[in-house]
Amino acid sequence: MGNLENTGMREMVGKCVSKLAEKAASESSSGVLGISSGFRQLDRRIGGFENGKVYVVGGRPSMGRDDFMLSVVDNILRHTELPILLFTTNKRKTDSFSRLMSIHFSIPTTKIYEGGLELEEWCRLDKGLKTIADVPLFIYDSLTPSLHEVMETIRNYVREKGEIIVFIDCLQMIDLRNENGNPSERTAKVMASLKQMAIQENLPVIVGSMLNNTADIHEKNGSKRPDLTSLSDSNYMEEFADVIMFVHRPEQYRIYKDENGQNLHGKIQILVRKNVFRPVCEITLHYQQKTGAVGTKEEASLFVTKPAKVEEAFENLMEAFDLEEVVPF
């Protein structure tokens, strides 16, 4: 974890006051201490993504964990110029990018993969792709990367880009090569390293996590909501993470109304179960399974002007990106 440092009280008081002033200025200007997730309800409760902190996003398969994280990435790209480093540890970068495009343009992922876009969807691509071609998103798709590889990649991007935000889609896919130890010890080392990186480089780290094999037997009033014990090696997660949240879709368990009778069709719940210096909470957002988009987003003003036909939109894209001529129609 590095060398221990002695800090006198006067220096600590100075740092504390400076931090308070910094946070007060941030709150007065944006209402959010850290980088906004793009979801106001969530930002109000966790304060956005703050430098030096690690955020764990847990979820069972098919609950939308990756889609939630990609939707946050999309929100940050839409509203800031902050460079984003995204590690995809269990899929190709083209797959993650396709899903991100589906979220960004509200186009079903099957159409992104297979084609068959409607006129209006081609119009969105025609007007939108040109604007996002230069956004500062960097996708690193080393399958089961080593911990050393992850740490060095982050450091290299910090040196090159300065301030960044890091997303890692799955903690358990980070490999401790040539090292012995049980799974708990491995999780502890990865979490400790990510926390140290967040502090030393002064950046937020958002990391996805699988749940353990007993997750499905945890029930709370029949809701099957995960809790902290659902995390693999939860003790180490709780020790090093500043915020732990779970992505949960009740309708996957044929639960279509909450305890207040609210409709849960097409909804995704974000269950914040650890929240340093703040209370835990739950928020409910909209979820579009076909595109993966979480939350409500306003249509970008870029899409106002529409080409007269699909061929025109396609030709505009070909010209904008200097693509070789093909005839898809």
Side-chain angles (χ1 to χ4, degrees), residues 89 94 197 270 287 301 322:
T89 63
T94 52
M197 174 66 71
I270 310 301
Y287 178 64
S301 59
D322 297 323

Side-chain angles (χ1 to χ4, degrees), residues 128-170:
L129 279 178
K130 300 170 190 175
T131 67
I132 69 169
D134 297 318
V135 296
L137 171 64
F138 308 94
I139 304 178
Y140 190 84
D141 68 346
S142 175
L143 301 181
T144 62
S146 70
L147 178 59
H148 174 76
E149 188 179 355
V150 171
M151 296 296 104
E152 284 303 304
T153 301
I154 295 174
R155 290 191 182 97
N156 289 337
Y157 273 89
V158 171
R159 283 195 292 267
E160 180 182 349
K161 305 296 180 182
E163 185 180 9
I164 68 170
I165 182 170
V166 176
F167 288 81
I168 304 171
D169 64 359
C170 187

